Amino acid sequence: MRALTRLTTLKTSAIAVAMAGALGTGQASAGEVEVLHWWTSGGEAEAVGTLRDLLEAEGHEWKDFAVAGGGGDSAMTVLKSRAMSGNPPAAAQIKGPEIQEWGELGLLGNLDPVAEAGDWDALLPEVVADIMRHEGHYVAVPVNVHRINWLWANPEVLADAGVEVPTTWDELFAAGEALREAGYVPLAHGGQPWQDATTFETVVLSLGGSDFYRRAFVELDQEALESDTMIEALTTFKRLRGLMDEGMPGRDWNLATSMVIEGEAAMQIMGDWAKGEFTAAGLEAGEDYLCAPVPGTADAFAFNIDSFAMFRLTEQAAREAQYSMARLVLEPEFQHAFNRVKGSIPARPDLDMDEFDACAQRSMADFRQAEDEGGLVPSMAHRMAMGSDVQGAFYDIVTNYFNSSDMSADQAAERLAQAASLAL
């Protein structure tokens, strides 16, 4: 409930700021767009630089406001502080239900003129467009679609240990034993709450399927959260800890990816932003590294949509620069350039994928299939499935369970259900 309390406090402050007419005017100069985001690793920084270059080519000024760490948690803390002081940035990387939370505060601007001119309703899949709207109006623009349930692998390491990319959990654990014997870390991981939650949600998706996943993480169904399926998922998740190395606590995700790149580790479970690190290292998909759905999730697609929410501005030149940024985000030039570097797929599925690598092409094909067959699910770990208050509680429970020898899977499932009940 801590996050909910912070947002309630923020709402009181926001109303006062709005009455003063000071939203977003700050010290922004004409044509300046201050952009808050958490893309700070090598591949991510290169990707966001493409948008900066396009905006500046149109004569506007990009003021970078990058906040590293925590899978976005640190950035959201800074954003709330800025908003409470009446000086939010022009644009901020905000995702999923949090867009609605900021919309309820009355702080977001209306992008309908840009959306109508660009025919966003026709360009975007409904599952994407719906997240970008608040009360029927566009308030955010999608940058990409990430797939969470990816397993990345170093083919030379696998070959040296005599194993193949696993398609089941039994195969994964068996491969882990062979990889240990060959002197490798079977599964690279960063021991941070959001990374723990990322791995955990893929296990739930694998063992429960898409419908169960939605019941547990979107509907917050008590029976699903305390079910035998959830307990099995928690048990399997805990077993994965035995495939990791002792240096994982506190490790950033991109450092875990580097372990796979350098041949120290064999595999990593991570969203496809990890592919940006492989790309930045000059590696080629399908040859220098492999991608495959997490065991048991080939028919499902857990998605994370990066988006920029636009804060309400009163200064005309700043608003025009903001509109230009929103328009540029969905234009083919940026969608191609950004997503090829970032590792994700375009937010608009009408674009030609021939210039993308094999992993991205499979991701787009799997997205379309999952959309048709009901296999699309919003990521719990990446702010797409539930409100920030419940998600924060789930983070705590999942990471405490993963790192504790005293908490059983049954107890963890019970605590997840209790946390969810507070939001119902």
Side-chain angles (χ1 to χ4, degrees):
M1 299 301 289
R2 292 171 297 183
L4 186 59
T5 301
R6 287 196 298 270
L7 281 174
T8 301
T9 303
L10 177 58
K11 185 169 185 177
T12 302
S13 177
I15 293 172
V17 171
M19 292 176 65
L23 280 179
T25 56
Q27 288 79 40
S29 60
E32 177 185 274
V33 178
E34 184 181 23
V35 184
L36 182 146
H37 63 90
W38 58 88
W39 289 324
T40 56
S41 75
E44 292 176 323
E46 182 181 352
V48 76
T50 62
L51 181 58
R52 178 199 61 226
D53 293 345
L54 288 170
L55 189 68
E56 291 181 346
E58 295 198 354
H60 300 298
E61 180 181 353
W62 173 286
K63 184 177 180 181
D64 202 59
F65 186 8
V67 180
D73 290 341
S74 300
M76 289 301 98
T77 299
V78 173
L79 178 59
K80 289 168 184 175
S81 176
R82 282 282 301 271
M84 288 182 70
S85 68
N87 185 34
Q93 186 182 352
I94 304 176
K95 302 187 295 186
E98 288 187 353
I99 294 174
Q100 306 306 312
E101 293 175 0
W102 285 101
E104 290 296 326
L105 298 177
L107 296 178
L108 299 184
N110 189 320
L111 295 179
D112 285 347
V114 186
E116 291 169 6
D119 199 13
W120 290 7
D121 285 348
L123 284 180
L124 299 175
E126 183 57 30
V127 68
V128 177
D130 189 55
I131 294 170
M132 301 301 118
R133 304 186 191 106
H134 174 67
E135 295 183 347
H137 300 287
Y138 281 99
V139 295
V141 55
V143 175
N144 57 10
V145 175
H146 279 295
R147 187 181 196 177
I148 306 302
N149 53 309
W150 276 122
L151 180 70
W152 307 96
N154 184 315
E156 291 186 0
V157 171
L158 295 183
D160 188 50
V163 300
E164 297 181 351
V165 176
T167 59
T168 68
W169 294 113
D170 286 343
E171 289 179 2
L172 180 65
F173 289 115
E177 294 181 7
L179 287 160
R180 285 281 192 206
E181 292 176 1
Y184 300 105
V185 175
L187 193 63
H189 184 69
Q192 298 171 338
W194 74 268
Q195 294 189 64
D196 294 341
T198 296
T199 300
F200 171 61
E201 71 177 356
T202 67
V203 179
V204 173
L205 182 60
S206 170
L207 297 178
S210 300
D211 289 342
F212 176 84
Y213 181 101
R214 279 188 287 265
R215 284 177 56 208
F217 293 148
V218 180
E219 301 170 15
L220 301 178
D221 181 81
Q222 303 288 292
E223 183 177 345
L225 289 168
E226 293 186 282
S227 67
D228 291 341
T229 300
M230 183 60 71
I231 292 171
E232 180 187 6
L234 285 160
T235 302
T236 302
F237 169 59
K238 189 70 164 280
R239 282 186 66 195
L240 291 175
R241 206 175 192 285
L243 302 181
M244 301 168 184
D245 67 304
E246 295 180 357
M248 73 170 188
R251 177 187 291 142
D252 290 335
W253 69 269
N254 53 309
L255 298 181
T257 305
S258 293
M259 293 172 63
V260 180
I261 293 173
E262 298 298 329
E264 180 183 349
M267 297 173 284
Q268 180 188 19
I269 293 173
M270 185 52 61
D272 52 18
W273 50 89
K275 186 158 64 71
E277 299 301 298
F278 289 103
T279 301
L283 304 183
E284 185 173 344
E287 294 188 11
D288 302 315
Y289 67 95
L290 305 176
C291 60
V294 166
T297 69
D299 296 330
F301 193 113
F303 65 84
N304 168 31
I305 301 172
D306 284 318
S307 55
F308 283 119
M310 302 296 177
F311 282 81
R312 187 150 56 89
L313 303 176
T314 58
E315 208 264 333
Q316 180 65 25
R319 190 162 60 245
E320 289 178 2
Q322 186 187 59
Y323 279 5
S324 293
M325 176 181 166
R327 170 179 52 80
L328 287 167
V329 165
L330 276 180
E331 288 190 349
E333 182 177 2
F334 173 71
Q335 286 285 311
H336 272 110
F338 178 91
N339 287 294
R340 286 175 64 193
V341 174
K342 184 68 162 61
S344 46
I345 59 174
R348 45 183 292 184
D350 64 316
L351 299 182
D352 187 354
M353 295 293 292
D354 286 347
E355 296 182 358
F356 285 78
D357 61 45
C359 293
Q361 290 177 11
R362 173 165 186 176
S363 187
M364 180 63 84
D366 287 354
F367 177 89
R368 291 168 175 160
Q369 179 180 338
E371 184 181 23
D372 291 339
E373 299 177 359
L376 286 179
V377 296
S379 169
M380 174 274 289
H382 296 274
R383 295 188 170 88
M384 301 302 301
M386 59 185 65
S388 57
D389 52 342
V390 181
Q391 188 218 33
F394 275 30
Y395 265 23
D396 290 343
I397 295 164
V398 168
T399 202
N400 288 339
Y401 164 73
F402 193 55
N403 293 288
S404 172
S405 59
D406 298 328
M407 189 188 307
S408 69
D410 295 67
Q411 290 171 325
E414 182 180 356
R415 293 180 188 183
L416 289 172
Q418 289 174 346
S421 70
L422 298 178
L424 299 178

